[in-house]
PDB file of all heavy atoms in Angstrom:
ATOM      1  N   ILE J  70     -54.600  22.903-144.572  1.00 87.00           N
ATOM      2  CA  ILE J  70     -55.749  23.652-144.026  1.00 87.00           C
ATOM      3  C   ILE J  70     -56.403  22.848-142.912  1.00 87.00           C
ATOM      4  O   ILE J  70     -56.712  23.379-141.841  1.00 87.00           O
ATOM      5  CB  ILE J  70     -56.770  23.970-145.147  1.00 87.00           C
ATOM      6  CG1 ILE J  70     -56.194  25.038-146.078  1.00 87.00           C
ATOM      7  CG2 ILE J  70     -58.101  24.429-144.559  1.00 87.00           C
ATOM      8  CD1 ILE J  70     -57.039  25.311-147.312  1.00 87.00           C
ATOM      9  N   TYR J  71     -56.581  21.568-143.151  1.00 89.00           N
ATOM     10  CA  TYR J  71     -57.236  20.716-142.137  1.00 89.00           C
ATOM     11  C   TYR J  71     -56.429  20.729-140.832  1.00 89.00           C
ATOM     12  O   TYR J  71     -56.989  20.845-139.745  1.00 89.00           O
ATOM     13  CB  TYR J  71     -57.380  19.279-142.645  1.00 89.00           C
ATOM     14  CG  TYR J  71     -58.013  18.392-141.591  1.00 89.00           C
ATOM     15  CD1 TYR J  71     -59.391  18.366-141.428  1.00 89.00           C
ATOM     16  CD2 TYR J  71     -57.231  17.634-140.727  1.00 89.00           C
ATOM     17  CE1 TYR J  71     -59.970  17.598-140.435  1.00 89.00           C
ATOM     18  CE2 TYR J  71     -57.801  16.867-139.731  1.00 89.00           C
ATOM     19  CZ  TYR J  71     -59.170  16.842-139.592  1.00 89.00           C
ATOM     20  OH  TYR J  71     -59.750  16.098-138.595  1.00 89.00           O
ATOM     21  N   ASP J  72     -55.116  20.617-140.972  1.00 88.00           N
ATOM     22  CA  ASP J  72     -54.273  20.565-139.768  1.00 88.00           C
ATOM     23  C   ASP J  72     -54.359  21.851-138.955  1.00 88.00           C
ATOM     24  O   ASP J  72     -54.113  21.842-137.750  1.00 88.00           O
ATOM     25  CB  ASP J  72     -52.809  20.300-140.157  1.00 88.00           C
ATOM     26  CG  ASP J  72     -52.597  18.846-140.561  1.00 88.00           C
ATOM     27  OD1 ASP J  72     -53.456  18.011-140.216  1.00 88.00           O
ATOM     28  OD2 ASP J  72     -51.585  18.556-141.228  1.00 88.00           O
ATOM     29  N   LYS J  73     -54.669  22.954-139.634  1.00 86.00           N
ATOM     30  CA  LYS J  73     -54.720  24.244-138.926  1.00 86.00           C
ATOM     31  C   LYS J  73     -56.098  24.550-138.351  1.00 86.00           C
ATOM     32  O   LYS J  73     -56.246  25.521-137.606  1.00 86.00           O
ATOM     33  CB  LYS J  73     -54.296  25.372-139.875  1.00 86.00           C
ATOM     34  CG  LYS J  73     -52.810  25.374-140.160  1.00 86.00           C
ATOM     35  CD  LYS J  73     -52.426  26.546-141.045  1.00 86.00           C
ATOM     36  CE  LYS J  73     -50.938  26.568-141.315  1.00 86.00           C
ATOM     37  NZ  LYS J  73     -50.577  27.583-142.324  1.00 86.00           N
ATOM     38  N   VAL J  74     -57.090  23.760-138.709  1.00 85.00           N
ATOM     39  CA  VAL J  74     -58.450  24.017-138.202  1.00 85.00           C
ATOM     40  C   VAL J  74     -58.469  23.750-136.704  1.00 85.00           C
ATOM     41  O   VAL J  74     -58.036  22.691-136.254  1.00 85.00           O
ATOM     42  CB  VAL J  74     -59.474  23.107-138.921  1.00 85.00           C
ATOM     43  CG1 VAL J  74     -60.839  23.184-138.238  1.00 85.00           C
ATOM     44  CG2 VAL J  74     -59.591  23.507-140.376  1.00 85.00           C
ATOM     45  N   PRO J  75     -58.965  24.737-135.903  1.00 84.00           N
ATOM     46  CA  PRO J  75     -58.990  24.515-134.458  1.00 84.00           C
ATOM     47  C   PRO J  75     -59.931  23.374-134.081  1.00 84.00           C
ATOM     48  O   PRO J  75     -60.905  23.107-134.777  1.00 84.00           O
ATOM     49  CB  PRO J  75     -59.489  25.848-133.892  1.00 84.00           C
ATOM     50  CG  PRO J  75     -60.088  26.562-135.026  1.00 84.00           C
ATOM     51  CD  PRO J  75     -59.488  26.035-136.290  1.00 84.00           C
ATOM     52  N   ASN J  76     -59.599  22.731-132.970  1.00 84.00           N
ATOM     53  CA  ASN J  76     -60.389  21.574-132.546  1.00 84.00           C
ATOM     54  C   ASN J  76     -60.803  21.732-131.092  1.00 84.00           C
ATOM     55  O   ASN J  76     -60.318  22.601-130.387  1.00 84.00           O
ATOM     56  CB  ASN J  76     -59.562  20.297-132.745  1.00 84.00           C
ATOM     57  CG  ASN J  76     -60.438  19.098-133.011  1.00 84.00           C
ATOM     58  OD1 ASN J  76     -61.568  19.023-132.530  1.00 84.00           O
ATOM     59  ND2 ASN J  76     -59.933  18.155-133.776  1.00 84.00           N
ATOM     60  N   ALA J  77     -61.706  20.873-130.672  1.00 83.00           N
ATOM     61  CA  ALA J  77     -62.200  20.938-129.294  1.00 83.00           C
ATOM     62  C   ALA J  77     -61.102  20.576-128.308  1.00 83.00           C
ATOM     63  O   ALA J  77     -60.228  19.783-128.621  1.00 83.00           O
ATOM     64  CB  ALA J  77     -63.373  19.982-129.144  1.00 83.00           C
ATOM     65  N   ALA J  78     -61.198  21.153-127.122  1.00 85.00           N
ATOM     66  CA  ALA J  78     -60.200  20.886-126.087  1.00 85.00           C
ATOM     67  C   ALA J  78     -60.727  19.863-125.090  1.00 85.00           C
ATOM     68  O   ALA J  78     -61.925  19.820-124.814  1.00 85.00           O
ATOM     69  CB  ALA J  78     -59.858  22.177-125.373  1.00 85.00           C
ATOM     70  N   LEU J  79     -59.807  19.069-124.578  1.00 87.00           N
ATOM     71  CA  LEU J  79     -60.169  18.126-123.509  1.00 87.00           C
ATOM     72  C   LEU J  79     -59.745  18.754-122.186  1.00 87.00           C
ATOM     73  O   LEU J  79     -58.565  19.056-121.989  1.00 87.00           O
ATOM     74  CB  LEU J  79     -59.435  16.798-123.721  1.00 87.00           C
ATOM     75  CG  LEU J  79     -59.628  15.741-122.635  1.00 87.00           C
ATOM     76  CD1 LEU J  79     -61.073  15.255-122.602  1.00 87.00           C
ATOM     77  CD2 LEU J  79     -58.696  14.564-122.860  1.00 87.00           C
ATOM     78  N   ASP J  80     -60.711  18.946-121.303  1.00 87.00           N
ATOM     79  CA  ASP J  80     -60.391  19.543-120.000  1.00 87.00           C
ATOM     80  C   ASP J  80     -59.434  18.642-119.232  1.00 87.00           C
ATOM     81  O   ASP J  80     -59.563  17.423-119.271  1.00 87.00           O
ATOM     82  CB  ASP J  80     -61.673  19.708-119.159  1.00 87.00           C
ATOM     83  CG  ASP J  80     -62.645  20.641-119.841  1.00 87.00           C
ATOM     84  OD1 ASP J  80     -62.177  21.468-120.641  1.00 87.00           O
ATOM     85  OD2 ASP J  80     -63.853  20.506-119.598  1.00 87.00           O
ATOM     86  N   GLU J  81     -58.530  19.291-118.490  1.00 90.00           N
ATOM     87  CA  GLU J  81     -57.581  18.525-117.675  1.00 90.00           C
ATOM     88  C   GLU J  81     -58.322  17.675-116.637  1.00 90.00           C
ATOM     89  O   GLU J  81     -57.965  16.513-116.401  1.00 90.00           O
ATOM     90  CB  GLU J  81     -56.600  19.493-116.981  1.00 90.00           C
ATOM     91  CG  GLU J  81     -55.599  18.834-116.043  1.00 90.00           C
ATOM     92  CD  GLU J  81     -54.636  17.869-116.733  1.00 90.00           C
ATOM     93  OE1 GLU J  81     -54.462  17.944-117.961  1.00 90.00           O
ATOM     94  OE2 GLU J  81     -54.065  17.013-116.016  1.00 90.00           O
TER      95      GLU J  81
END
Side-chain angles (χ1 to χ4, degrees):
Chain J
I70 289 173
Y71 178 82
D72 285 342
K73 287 183 179 172
V74 170
N76 209 329
L79 176 66
D80 298 336
E81 177 63 20

